[in-house]
Coordinates of all heavy atoms in Angstrom, one line a residue:
M185 N 133.4 82.3 123.9 CA 132.2 82.3 124.8 C 132.6 83.0 126.1 O 133.6 82.7 126.7 CB 131.8 80.9 125.1 CG 130.4 80.8 125.7 SD 129.8 79.2 126.0 CE 130.2 78.2 124.5
E186 N 131.9 84.0 126.5 CA 132.2 84.8 127.7 C 131.2 84.4 128.8 O 130.0 84.1 128.5 CB 132.0 86.3 127.4 CG 132.9 86.8 126.4 CD 132.6 88.3 126.1 OE1 132.2 89.0 127.0 OE2 132.8 88.7 124.9
R187 N 131.7 84.3 130.0 CA 130.9 84.0 131.1 C 130.7 85.2 132.0 O 131.6 86.1 132.1 CB 131.5 82.9 132.0 CG 131.4 81.6 131.2 CD 132.0 80.5 132.1 NE 132.0 79.2 131.4 CZ 131.2 78.2 131.6 NH1 130.3 78.4 132.6 NH2 131.2 77.1 130.9
G188 N 129.6 85.3 132.7 CA 129.4 86.5 133.6 C 128.2 86.2 134.5 O 127.7 85.1 134.6
E189 N 127.8 87.2 135.2 CA 126.6 87.1 136.1 C 125.6 88.1 135.7 O 125.9 89.2 135.1 CB 127.1 87.4 137.5 CG 128.0 86.4 138.1 CD 128.3 86.6 139.5 OE1 128.0 87.7 140.0 OE2 128.9 85.7 140.2
A190 N 124.3 87.7 135.9 CA 123.2 88.6 135.6 C 122.2 88.5 136.7 O 122.0 87.4 137.3 CB 122.5 88.2 134.3
V191 N 121.6 89.6 137.1 CA 120.6 89.7 138.1 C 119.2 89.4 137.4 O 118.9 90.0 136.4 CB 120.5 91.0 138.8 CG1 119.4 91.1 139.8 CG2 121.8 91.3 139.4
V192 N 118.5 88.4 137.9 CA 117.3 87.9 137.4 C 116.2 88.3 138.4 O 116.2 88.0 139.6 CB 117.3 86.4 137.1 CG1 115.9 86.0 136.6 CG2 118.4 86.0 136.2
R193 N 115.2 89.0 137.9 CA 114.0 89.4 138.7 C 112.8 89.6 137.9 O 112.9 89.9 136.7 CB 114.3 90.6 139.6 CG 114.3 91.9 138.9 CD 114.6 93.0 139.8 NE 114.4 94.3 139.2 CZ 113.3 95.0 139.4 NH1 112.3 94.5 140.1 NH2 113.2 96.2 138.8
R194 N 111.7 89.5 138.5 CA 110.4 89.8 137.8 C 110.0 91.2 138.0 O 110.4 91.8 139.1 CB 109.3 88.8 138.4 CG 109.7 87.4 138.1 CD 108.5 86.5 138.5 NE 107.4 86.8 137.6 CZ 106.4 86.1 137.5 NH1 106.2 85.0 138.1 NH2 105.4 86.4 136.6
S195 N 109.3 91.8 137.1 CA 108.8 93.1 137.3 C 107.4 93.2 136.8 O 107.0 92.5 135.8 CB 109.7 94.1 136.6 OG 109.6 94.0 135.2
P196 N 106.5 94.0 137.4 CA 105.1 94.1 136.9 C 105.0 94.9 135.6 O 105.9 95.7 135.3 CB 104.4 94.9 138.1 CG 105.5 95.7 138.7 CD 106.8 94.8 138.6
R197 N 104.0 94.6 134.9 CA 103.7 95.4 133.7 C 102.9 96.6 134.1 O 101.7 96.5 134.4 CB 103.0 94.5 132.7 CG 103.8 93.3 132.3 CD 103.2 92.6 131.1 NE 103.9 91.4 130.8 CZ 104.8 91.4 129.7 NH1 104.9 92.4 129.0 NH2 105.5 90.3 129.5
Y198 N 103.5 97.7 134.0 CA 102.9 98.9 134.6 C 101.6 99.3 133.8 O 100.7 99.8 134.4 CB 103.9 100.1 134.6 CG 105.0 99.9 135.6 CD1 106.2 99.3 135.3 CD2 104.7 100.3 136.9 CE1 107.2 99.1 136.3 CE2 105.7 100.1 137.9 CZ 106.9 99.6 137.6 OH 107.8 99.4 138.5
L199 N 101.7 99.2 132.5 CA 100.5 99.6 131.7 C 99.2 98.8 132.1 O 98.2 99.4 132.2 CB 100.8 99.4 130.2 CG 99.7 99.9 129.2 CD1 99.4 101.4 129.4 CD2 100.0 99.5 127.8
R200 N 99.4 97.6 132.4 CA 98.2 96.8 132.8 C 97.7 97.2 134.1 O 96.5 97.3 134.3 CB 98.6 95.3 132.9 CG 98.9 94.7 131.5 CD 99.2 93.2 131.6 NE 99.5 92.7 130.2 CZ 99.9 91.5 130.0 NH1 100.0 90.6 131.0 NH2 100.1 91.1 128.8
F201 N 98.6 97.6 135.0 CA 98.1 98.1 136.3 C 97.4 99.5 136.2 O 96.4 99.7 136.8 CB 99.3 98.3 137.3 CG 99.7 97.0 138.0 CD1 100.6 96.1 137.4 CD2 99.1 96.6 139.2 CE1 101.0 94.9 138.0 CE2 99.4 95.4 139.8 CZ 100.4 94.6 139.2
L202 N 97.9 100.3 135.3 CA 97.3 101.6 135.0 C 95.9 101.5 134.4 O 95.0 102.1 134.8 CB 98.2 102.5 134.2 CG 99.5 103.0 134.8 CD1 100.4 103.7 133.7 CD2 99.2 103.9 135.9
L203 N 95.9 100.6 133.4 CA 94.6 100.3 132.8 C 93.6 99.7 133.7 O 92.4 100.0 133.7 CB 94.8 99.5 131.5 CG 95.5 100.2 130.3 CD1 95.7 99.2 129.2 CD2 94.7 101.4 129.9
S204 N 94.0 98.8 134.5 CA 93.1 98.2 135.5 C 92.6 99.2 136.5 O 91.4 99.2 136.8 CB 93.8 97.1 136.3 OG 94.2 96.0 135.4
G205 N 93.5 100.1 136.9 CA 93.0 101.2 137.8 C 92.0 102.1 137.1 O 91.1 102.5 137.8
A206 N 92.3 102.4 135.9 CA 91.3 103.3 135.1 C 90.0 102.6 135.0 O 88.9 103.2 135.1 CB 91.9 103.6 133.8
I207 N 90.0 101.3 134.7 CA 88.7 100.6 134.6 C 87.9 100.6 135.9 O 86.7 100.8 135.9 CB 88.9 99.1 134.0 CG1 89.4 99.2 132.6 CG2 87.7 98.3 134.2 CD1 89.9 97.9 132.0
V208 N 88.6 100.3 137.0 CA 88.0 100.4 138.3 C 87.4 101.8 138.5 O 86.3 101.9 139.0 CB 89.0 100.0 139.4 CG1 88.4 100.2 140.8 CG2 89.3 98.5 139.3
G209 N 88.2 102.8 138.2 CA 87.7 104.2 138.3 C 86.5 104.5 137.5 O 85.5 105.1 138.0
I210 N 86.4 103.9 136.3 CA 85.2 104.1 135.4 C 84.0 103.4 136.1 O 82.9 104.0 136.1 CB 85.5 103.5 134.0 CG1 86.5 104.4 133.3 CG2 84.2 103.4 133.2 CD1 87.0 103.8 132.0
V211 N 84.2 102.2 136.6 CA 83.1 101.5 137.2 C 82.6 102.3 138.5 O 81.4 102.4 138.7 CB 83.5 100.1 137.6 CG1 82.4 99.4 138.4 CG2 83.7 99.3 136.3
V212 N 83.5 102.8 139.3 CA 83.2 103.6 140.5 C 82.4 104.8 140.1 O 81.4 105.2 140.7 CB 84.4 103.9 141.3 CG1 84.1 104.9 142.4 CG2 85.0 102.6 141.9
A213 N 82.9 105.5 139.0 CA 82.2 106.7 138.5 C 80.8 106.4 138.1 O 79.8 107.2 138.4 CB 83.0 107.4 137.4
L214 N 80.6 105.3 137.4 CA 79.2 104.9 137.0 C 78.3 104.6 138.2 O 77.2 105.0 138.2 CB 79.3 103.7 136.0 CG 78.1 103.2 135.4 CD1 77.5 104.3 134.5 CD2 78.3 101.9 134.6
I215 N 78.9 103.9 139.1 CA 78.1 103.5 140.3 C 77.7 104.8 141.1 O 76.6 105.0 141.5 CB 78.9 102.5 141.2 CG1 79.0 101.2 140.5 CG2 78.2 102.4 142.6 CD1 79.9 100.2 141.2
L216 N 78.7 105.7 141.3 CA 78.4 107.0 142.0 C 77.3 107.8 141.2 O 76.5 108.5 141.8 CB 79.6 107.8 142.2 CG 80.6 107.2 143.2 CD1 81.9 108.0 143.2 CD2 80.0 107.1 144.6
T217 N 77.4 107.8 139.9 CA 76.5 108.6 139.1 C 75.1 108.1 139.3 O 74.1 108.9 139.4 CB 76.9 108.6 137.6 OG1 78.2 109.1 137.5 CG2 75.9 109.4 136.8
V218 N 74.9 106.8 139.3 CA 73.6 106.2 139.4 C 73.0 106.3 140.8 O 71.8 106.5 141.0 CB 73.7 104.7 138.9 CG1 72.3 104.0 139.2 CG2 74.0 104.6 137.5
T219 N 73.9 106.2 141.8 CA 73.4 106.2 143.2 C 73.1 107.6 143.7 O 72.2 107.7 144.6 CB 74.4 105.5 144.1 OG1 75.7 106.2 144.1 CG2 74.6 104.0 143.8
F220 N 73.7 108.6 143.2 CA 73.4 110.0 143.7 C 72.0 110.4 143.2 O 71.7 110.1 142.1 CB 74.5 111.0 143.3 CG 75.7 111.0 144.2 CD1 76.9 110.9 143.6 CD2 75.6 111.0 145.5 CE1 78.1 110.9 144.4 CE2 76.7 111.0 146.3 CZ 78.0 111.0 145.7
P221 N 71.3 111.2 144.0 CA 70.0 111.7 143.5 C 70.2 112.7 142.3 O 71.3 113.3 142.2 CB 69.4 112.4 144.7 CG 70.5 112.6 145.6 CD 71.6 111.6 145.3
A222 N 69.2 112.8 141.5 CA 69.3 113.6 140.3 C 69.4 115.1 140.8 O 68.9 115.5 141.8 CB 68.0 113.5 139.5
N223 N 70.1 115.9 140.0 CA 70.4 117.3 140.2 C 69.8 118.1 139.1 O 70.0 117.8 137.9 CB 71.9 117.5 140.4 CG 72.2 118.9 140.9 OD1 71.4 119.8 140.9 ND2 73.5 119.0 141.3
D224 N 69.0 119.1 139.5 CA 68.4 120.0 138.5 C 69.5 120.9 137.7 O 69.3 121.3 136.6 CB 67.4 120.9 139.1 CG 66.2 120.1 139.6 OD1 66.0 119.0 139.1 OD2 65.5 120.6 140.5
E225 N 70.6 121.1 138.4 CA 71.6 122.0 137.9 C 72.5 121.4 136.8 O 72.9 122.0 135.9 CB 72.5 122.6 139.0 CG 73.2 123.8 138.7 CD 73.9 124.4 139.9 OE1 73.4 124.2 141.0 OE2 74.9 125.0 139.7
F226 N 72.7 120.1 137.0 CA 73.6 119.3 136.1 C 72.9 118.1 135.5 O 72.2 117.4 136.3 CB 74.9 118.9 136.8 CG 75.7 120.0 137.4 CD1 75.7 120.2 138.8 CD2 76.4 120.9 136.6 CE1 76.4 121.3 139.3 CE2 77.1 121.9 137.1 CZ 77.1 122.1 138.5
S227 N 73.2 117.8 134.3 CA 72.6 116.5 133.7 C 73.4 115.3 134.2 O 74.5 115.4 134.7 CB 72.7 116.6 132.2 OG 74.0 116.5 131.7
I228 N 72.8 114.2 134.0 CA 73.5 112.9 134.4 C 74.8 112.7 133.6 O 75.8 112.3 134.2 CB 72.6 111.7 134.1 CG1 71.4 111.8 135.1 CG2 73.3 110.4 134.3 CD1 70.4 110.7 134.9
G229 N 74.8 113.1 132.4 CA 76.1 113.1 131.6 C 77.2 113.9 132.1 O 78.3 113.5 132.1
Q230 N 76.8 115.1 132.6 CA 77.8 116.0 133.1 C 78.4 115.5 134.4 O 79.6 115.5 134.7 CB 77.2 117.4 133.4 CG 76.9 118.2 132.1 CD 76.2 119.5 132.3 OE1 75.3 119.5 133.2 NE2 76.5 120.5 131.6
V231 N 77.5 115.0 135.3 CA 77.9 114.4 136.5 C 78.8 113.2 136.3 O 79.9 113.0 136.9 CB 76.7 114.0 137.4 CG1 77.1 113.2 138.6 CG2 75.9 115.2 137.8
F232 N 78.4 112.3 135.3 CA 79.2 111.2 135.0 C 80.6 111.6 134.4 O 81.6 111.0 134.8 CB 78.5 110.3 134.0 CG 79.4 109.1 133.6 CD1 79.7 108.1 134.5 CD2 79.8 109.0 132.3 CE1 80.4 107.0 134.1 CE2 80.6 107.9 131.9 CZ 80.9 106.9 132.8
G233 N 80.6 112.6 133.6 CA 81.9 113.1 133.0 C 82.8 113.6 134.1 O 84.0 113.3 134.1
F234 N 82.3 114.4 135.0 CA 83.1 114.9 136.1 C 83.7 113.8 137.0 O 84.9 113.7 137.3 CB 82.3 115.9 137.0 CG 83.1 116.4 138.2 CD1 84.1 117.3 138.0 CD2 82.7 115.9 139.4 CE1 84.9 117.7 139.1 CE2 83.4 116.4 140.5 CZ 84.5 117.3 140.4
L235 N 82.8 112.9 137.4 CA 83.2 111.7 138.2 C 84.1 110.8 137.5 O 85.1 110.2 138.1 CB 82.0 111.0 138.7 CG 81.2 111.7 139.8 CD1 79.9 110.9 140.1 CD2 82.0 111.9 141.0
L236 N 83.9 110.7 136.2 CA 84.8 109.9 135.3 C 86.3 110.4 135.4 O 87.2 109.7 135.5 CB 84.3 109.8 133.9 CG 85.1 108.9 132.9 CD1 85.1 107.5 133.3 CD2 84.5 109.1 131.5
L237 N 86.4 111.7 135.2 CA 87.7 112.3 135.3 C 88.4 112.1 136.6 O 89.5 111.7 136.7 CB 87.6 113.8 134.9 CG 87.4 114.2 133.5 CD1 87.2 115.7 133.4 CD2 88.6 113.8 132.6
L238 N 87.6 112.4 137.7 CA 88.1 112.3 139.0 C 88.5 110.9 139.4 O 89.6 110.6 139.8 CB 87.1 112.9 140.0 CG 87.5 112.9 141.5 CD1 88.7 113.9 141.6 CD2 86.4 113.3 142.3
C239 N 87.5 110.0 139.2 CA 87.7 108.6 139.6 C 88.7 107.9 138.7 O 89.5 107.0 139.1 CB 86.4 107.8 139.6 SG 85.3 108.4 140.9
G240 N 88.8 108.3 137.4 CA 89.7 107.7 136.5 C 91.2 108.0 136.9 O 92.1 107.1 136.9
V241 N 91.4 109.3 137.2 CA 92.8 109.7 137.6 C 93.1 109.0 139.0 O 94.3 108.5 139.1 CB 92.8 111.2 137.7 CG1 94.1 111.6 138.4 CG2 92.7 111.8 136.4
I242 N 92.2 109.0 139.9 CA 92.5 108.3 141.2 C 92.7 106.8 141.0 O 93.7 106.3 141.6 CB 91.3 108.6 142.2 CG1 91.3 110.1 142.6 CG2 91.5 107.7 143.4 CD1 90.1 110.4 143.4
G243 N 92.0 106.2 140.2 CA 92.2 104.8 139.9 C 93.5 104.5 139.2 O 94.2 103.5 139.6
M244 N 93.9 105.3 138.3 CA 95.2 105.1 137.6 C 96.3 105.3 138.6 O 97.3 104.6 138.6 CB 95.3 106.0 136.4 CG 94.5 105.6 135.3 SD 94.7 106.7 133.8 CE 96.3 106.3 133.3
T245 N 96.2 106.3 139.5 CA 97.2 106.6 140.5 C 97.3 105.4 141.5 O 98.4 105.0 141.8 CB 96.9 107.9 141.3 OG1 96.7 109.0 140.3 CG2 97.9 108.2 142.3
L246 N 96.2 104.9 141.9 CA 96.2 103.7 142.8 C 96.8 102.5 142.1 O 97.6 101.7 142.7 CB 94.9 103.4 143.3 CG 94.3 104.4 144.3 CD1 92.9 104.1 144.7 CD2 95.2 104.5 145.6
G247 N 96.5 102.3 140.8 CA 97.1 101.2 140.1 C 98.6 101.4 140.0 O 99.4 100.4 140.1
A248 N 99.1 102.6 139.8 CA 100.6 102.8 139.7 C 101.2 102.6 141.0 O 102.3 102.0 141.1 CB 100.8 104.3 139.3
V249 N 100.6 103.0 142.1 CA 101.1 102.7 143.5 C 101.2 101.2 143.7 O 102.2 100.7 144.3 CB 100.3 103.4 144.5 CG1 100.6 103.0 145.9 CG2 100.4 104.9 144.4
V250 N 100.2 100.5 143.4 CA 100.2 99.0 143.6 C 101.3 98.4 142.7 O 102.0 97.5 143.2 CB 98.8 98.4 143.2 CG1 98.9 96.9 143.2 CG2 97.7 98.9 144.2
A251 N 101.5 98.9 141.5 CA 102.6 98.3 140.7 C 103.9 98.6 141.3 O 104.8 97.8 141.3 CB 102.5 98.9 139.3
L252 N 104.1 99.8 141.8 CA 105.4 100.1 142.5 C 105.6 99.3 143.7 O 106.8 98.9 144.0 CB 105.4 101.6 142.8 CG 105.6 102.6 141.7 CD1 105.4 104.0 142.1 CD2 106.9 102.4 141.0
V253 N 104.6 99.0 144.5 CA 104.7 98.2 145.7 C 105.1 96.8 145.2 O 106.0 96.1 145.8 CB 103.4 98.2 146.5 CG1 103.5 97.1 147.6 CG2 103.2 99.5 147.2
F254 N 104.4 96.2 144.2 CA 104.8 94.9 143.7 C 106.2 94.9 143.2 O 107.0 93.9 143.4 CB 103.9 94.5 142.6 CG 102.6 93.9 143.0 CD1 101.6 93.7 142.1 CD2 102.3 93.6 144.4 CE1 100.3 93.1 142.6 CE2 101.1 93.1 144.8 CZ 100.1 92.9 143.9
D255 N 106.7 96.0 142.5 CA 108.0 96.0 142.0 C 109.0 96.0 143.2 O 110.0 95.3 143.1 CB 108.2 97.3 141.2 CG 109.5 97.3 140.4 OD1 109.9 96.2 140.0 OD2 110.1 98.4 140.3
R256 N 108.8 96.7 144.2 CA 109.7 96.6 145.4 C 109.7 95.3 146.0 O 110.8 94.8 146.4 CB 109.2 97.6 146.5 CG 109.4 99.1 146.1 CD 110.9 99.4 146.1 NE 111.1 100.7 145.7 CZ 111.9 101.6 146.3 NH1 112.5 101.2 147.4 NH2 112.0 102.8 145.8
V257 N 108.6 94.6 146.2 CA 108.5 93.3 146.8 C 109.2 92.3 145.9 O 110.0 91.5 146.3 CB 107.0 92.8 147.0 CG1 107.0 91.4 147.3 CG2 106.4 93.7 148.1
L258 N 109.0 92.4 144.6 CA 109.7 91.4 143.6 C 111.2 91.7 143.5 O 111.9 90.8 143.2 CB 109.0 91.5 142.3 CG 107.6 91.0 142.2 CD1 107.0 91.3 140.8 CD2 107.5 89.5 142.5
A259 N 111.6 92.9 143.7 CA 113.0 93.3 143.7 C 113.8 92.6 144.8 O 115.0 92.2 144.6 CB 113.2 94.8 143.7
K260 N 113.1 92.4 145.9 CA 113.8 91.7 147.1 C 114.0 90.2 146.8 O 114.8 89.6 147.4 CB 112.9 91.9 148.3 CG 112.9 93.3 148.8 CD 112.1 93.4 150.1 CE 112.0 94.9 150.5 NZ 111.1 95.1 151.7
R261 N 113.2 89.7 145.8 CA 113.3 88.3 145.5 C 114.3 88.0 144.3 O 114.3 86.9 143.8 CB 112.0 87.7 145.2 CG 111.0 87.7 146.4 CD 109.7 87.1 146.0 NE 108.8 87.1 147.2 CZ 107.6 86.7 147.1 NH1 107.1 86.2 146.0 NH2 106.8 86.8 148.2
S262 N 115.0 89.0 143.9 CA 115.9 88.9 142.8 C 117.1 88.0 143.2 O 117.5 87.9 144.3 CB 116.4 90.2 142.3 OG 117.2 90.8 143.3
H263 N 117.7 87.4 142.2 CA 118.8 86.5 142.4 C 119.8 86.6 141.3 O 119.5 87.0 140.2 CB 118.4 85.0 142.7 CG 117.6 84.4 141.6 ND1 116.3 84.7 141.4 CD2 118.0 83.6 140.6 CE1 115.9 84.0 140.3 NE2 116.9 83.4 139.8
T264 N 121.0 86.2 141.5 CA 122.1 86.3 140.5 C 122.3 84.9 139.8 O 122.3 83.9 140.5 CB 123.4 86.7 141.1 OG1 123.1 88.0 141.8 CG2 124.4 86.9 140.1
E265 N 122.4 84.9 138.5 CA 122.6 83.6 137.8 C 123.8 83.8 137.0 O 124.2 84.8 136.5 CB 121.4 83.4 136.8 CG 120.1 83.0 137.5 CD 120.1 81.6 138.1 OE1 120.8 80.8 137.6 OE2 119.3 81.4 139.1
Q266 N 124.5 82.6 136.7 CA 125.6 82.6 135.8 C 125.1 82.5 134.4 O 124.2 81.8 134.0 CB 126.4 81.3 136.1 CG 127.1 81.3 137.4 CD 128.1 82.3 137.6 OE1 128.9 82.6 136.6 NE2 128.2 82.9 138.8
V267 N 125.7 83.3 133.5 CA 125.2 83.4 132.1 C 126.4 83.2 131.2 O 127.6 83.5 131.5 CB 124.5 84.7 131.8 CG1 123.2 84.8 132.6 CG2 125.4 85.9 132.0
E268 N 126.1 82.8 130.0 CA 127.2 82.6 129.0 C 126.7 83.5 127.8 O 125.6 83.4 127.3 CB 127.3 81.2 128.5 CG 127.9 80.3 129.6 CD 128.0 78.8 129.2 OE1 127.7 78.5 128.0 OE2 128.5 78.0 129.9
H269 N 127.6 84.2 127.3 CA 127.3 85.1 126.1 C 128.0 84.5 124.9 O 129.2 84.2 124.9 CB 127.9 86.5 126.3 CG 127.7 87.4 125.1 ND1 126.5 87.9 124.8 CD2 128.6 87.8 124.2 CE1 126.6 88.6 123.7 NE2 127.9 88.6 123.3
T270 N 127.2 84.1 123.9 CA 127.7 83.6 122.7 C 127.4 84.5 121.5 O 126.3 85.1 121.5 CB 127.2 82.1 122.4 OG1 125.8 82.2 122.3 CG2 127.6 81.2 123.5
T271 N 128.2 84.5 120.5 CA 128.0 85.3 119.3 C 127.9 84.3 118.1 O 128.7 83.5 117.9 CB 129.1 86.3 119.0 OG1 129.3 87.1 120.2 CG2 128.8 87.1 117.8
L272 N 126.7 84.4 117.5 CA 126.5 83.5 116.3 C 126.7 84.4 115.0 O 126.2 85.5 114.9 CB 125.1 83.0 116.3 CG 124.7 82.1 117.5 CD1 123.2 81.7 117.4 CD2 125.5 80.9 117.5
T273 N 127.4 83.8 114.1 CA 127.6 84.5 112.8 C 127.0 83.6 111.7 O 127.1 82.4 111.8 CB 129.1 84.7 112.6 OG1 129.8 83.4 112.6 CG2 129.7 85.6 113.6
T274 N 126.4 84.2 110.8 CA 125.8 83.5 109.7 C 126.4 84.0 108.4 O 126.8 85.2 108.3 CB 124.3 83.8 109.7 OG1 124.0 85.2 109.5 CG2 123.6 83.3 110.9
P275 N 126.6 83.1 107.5 CA 127.2 83.6 106.2 C 126.2 84.5 105.5 O 125.0 84.2 105.4 CB 127.4 82.3 105.4 CG 126.5 81.3 106.1 CD 126.3 81.7 107.5
E276 N 126.7 85.6 105.0 CA 125.9 86.5 104.3 C 125.7 86.0 102.8 O 126.6 85.5 102.2 CB 126.5 87.9 104.2 CG 126.6 88.5 105.6 CD 127.3 89.9 105.5 OE1 127.4 90.5 104.4 OE2 127.7 90.3 106.6
G277 N 124.5 86.0 102.4 CA 124.3 85.5 101.1 C 123.1 86.0 100.5 O 122.3 86.1 99.8

């Protein structure tokens, strides 16, 4: 049995933050599409598609920034623990 030290810390799940940001971006794009007055040059679908791309990317970027900030904050709360490494062997059969 070997003894050693390991740093224990929590970290955010980046994919969840990115997806949450994208969902917020989709909702914002939908709200902006509905609230702006109708345009004769572009259909509602075209306006929504453009805003969806723009707001989706901005939302995902903001989600990533929030995840990175959480990661920095949680990294400061890391601590070292004593660990034991054991190796288990099983009979092959």
Side-chain angles (χ1 to χ4, degrees):
M185 197 177 317
E186 298 176 32
R187 292 181 181 256
E189 292 184 348
V191 177
V192 179
R193 71 180 193 97
R194 298 186 66 163
S195 66
R197 298 189 182 260
Y198 289 95
L199 183 61
R200 290 183 184 177
F201 279 91
L202 291 173
L203 290 177
S204 298
I207 290 171
V208 169
I210 291 169
V211 171
V212 169
L214 184 63
I215 291 171
L216 289 175
T217 301
V218 173
T219 57
F220 280 131
N223 188 346
D224 294 336
E225 198 171 334
F226 302 106
S227 70
I228 291 177
Q230 291 173 322
V231 172
F232 178 67
F234 175 72
L235 288 174
L236 181 65
L237 285 174
L238 183 67
C239 294
V241 169
I242 291 172
M244 287 180 70
T245 303
L246 289 176
V249 168
V250 170
L252 288 172
V253 168
F254 279 172
D255 191 36
R256 290 287 177 134
V257 170
L258 292 173
K260 292 179 182 177
R261 295 183 182 178
S262 64
H263 59 280
T264 305
E265 292 286 335
Q266 296 293 324
V267 294
E268 293 180 359
H269 177 74
T270 58
T271 304
L272 298 176
T273 57
T274 58
E276 295 180 17

